[in-house]
Amino acid sequence: MAGSSHGHTPAAWTGVIIAFIGFCVAGAFMVMAQPLGFWGGMVIVALGGVVGWAMSAAGLGQPKQAPLVVQSSAGREPAGVEG
């Protein structure tokens, strides 16, 4: 994954940081037995996904690449065959 630069964008970092904060908020309120705070944390987690998607749509994410075309090797001889 390191070679594909997966997630090394401002959109990815921002979305993950917001979602992480939401998980921390939800976890703290779950331990304190406060359901309203827990669901507030879950809203923050969802907000992280929305912000990441919006930033990616605004051009701060991975650039879109053309689909990979796979060529068939049918009809070719193996490299070691002399003809």
Side-chain angles (χ1 to χ4, degrees):
M1 283 246 221
S4 68
S5 97
H6 174 74
H8 298 281
T9 64
W13 279 101
T14 305
V16 167
I17 288 170
I18 292 172
F20 179 72
I21 291 169
F23 277 118
C24 291
V25 168
F29 279 103
M30 183 168 45
V31 170
M32 292 187 286
Q34 299 292 326
L36 189 59
F38 168 79
W39 288 111
M42 289 290 102
V43 168
I44 295 171
V45 170
L47 181 67
V50 170
V51 168
W53 173 81
M55 288 179 70
S56 180
L60 296 172
Q62 277 296 86
K64 302 293 183 214
Q65 296 177 351
L68 181 64
V69 177
V70 179
Q71 295 179 351
S72 174
S73 62
R76 291 197 224 169
E77 296 181 14
V81 176
E82 293 182 25

